[in-house]
Amino acid sequence: MTERFTGSFTQQEPIPEEGIMAALTVLRHGRLHRYNTAPGEIAETALLEEEFAAQMGAKYCLAVASGGYAMTTALRACGVKAGDPVLTNAFTLAPVPGAIASLGAVPVYVGVTEGLVIDLDDLATKAGQAKVLLLSHMRGHIADMDRLMAICDAAGISVIEDCAHTMGANWRGIPSGRFGRFGCYSTQTYKHVNSGEGGFLISDDAEGMARAIILSGSYMLYERHRAGPPPETFAKIKYETPNVSGRMDNLRAAILRPQLRLLSEQAGKWNARYRVVEAGLRDTPGLRLVDRPEGEGFVASSFQFLLLDWSEDKVREVVARCAARGVELKWFGAPEPVAFTSRYDSWRYAPHAPMPATDRVLAGILDMRLPLTFSLDDCALIARIIRAEVSVVWQAAAAVK
Ligand SMILES: *Cc1c(COP(=O)(O)O)cnc(C)c1O
């Protein structure tokens, strides 16, 4: 009998009951806008920021409308203007180069390694080309942050971390998002906490955060931010910083607060699922697992493996055969983007130079989500299916040779 998987790769868990109750309270009083508070009341959004700052060990936090908005705001707060080059990953998702392009700035792509992190040798080579790096911890893979920061510090580059896939993760015990000048997070449904849409910015940079708060649309109500810099920081910048509204609201904040309290527990569940898939795929001929370095404390809400140097039609065959058995693999390297884009040459609004070593890795990356609605048994089944289908295609190809 051929096993089939019937779960949904896009079904997340329900919102915790505590979040539902808190949301109902907000709905019943009707003060959804973060600055709409009754006398003596502290807005859910302000409390959320205070709690996330404490959780990450950051001085300041701003909750915003999306992860993409967090990144554009961080870029603006770092002074990026139209025409400026901004270093970023060649392997990431569309919102990252999109954030750069939205300011009229120009992405300068840095390659990807077989470990699926930014290529630090390539970064060192290109360090002289820009003053800002928008670093994407794509799919939760964290580069050697000690070396990365040494390269950027030496070149006077401000680092903005895109932590859409690393909320709750760390490098050598330091939370992802705490290395750069800003850390950006998404609370969109497919990330580590779920408010439909939403995001965070964290920083220790008082002036940068003051700019971000004014940018987000705080009018002159910045003193109501409990995780913001002191009022004197705003004295000058409040006149010279434009308003580009992108606030978080109290309804989403109410849903998020209990989820943040569960973050490390959830991370444990994700990683348990990851390890089951990893064990199930180990030593599959033709399939390369991605090394997880010792310093990396990851949160694996998705799984990647490599079919390195496979031909396009064989990769397609694996994807099709797995799909027929209910396992939805995304081929990040597909030459024509389908449903999502994750490679630098898909973003035709921006220039790019050829990157052969990166192309080789991109062409071999397969990806799937591991939502917490999957059991450990589901994960073992998924691994058995992938293993079987990769083996069939690999052996058939070997026989032809
Ligand atoms: C989802 C995502 C973002 C941005 O998140 P939104 O909240 O959807 O704007 C940024 N970077 C990466 C890598 C993402 O996957």
Side-chain angles (χ1 to χ4, degrees), residues 373-398:
T373 49
F374 289 2
S375 66
L376 295 178
D377 287 343
D378 289 339
C379 293
L381 170 60
I382 289 166
R384 283 199 298 280
I385 291 173
I386 296 173
R387 186 182 192 93
E389 298 306 332
V390 166
S391 299
V392 167
V393 178
W394 175 257
Q395 278 157 18

Side-chain angles (χ1 to χ4, degrees), residues 139-140 270 274 292 299-304 367-370:
R139 283 318 202 217
W270 261 305
Y274 184 93
R292 308 292 331 213
V299 179
S301 51
S302 64
F303 192 96
Q304 293 72 44
D367 172 272
M368 64 182 163
R369 288 204 182 97
L370 289 179

Side-chain angles (χ1 to χ4, degrees), residues 65-71 92-96 136-139 162-165 185-188 191 196-199:
S66 73
Y69 183 85
M71 292 188 289
T92 183
L93 287 166
V96 179
S136 183
H137 300 295
M138 177 64 174
R139 283 318 202 217
D162 164 24
C163 305
H165 303 163
Y185 302 80
S186 170
T187 65
Q188 189 236 76
K191 314 295 163 121
E197 302 286 356

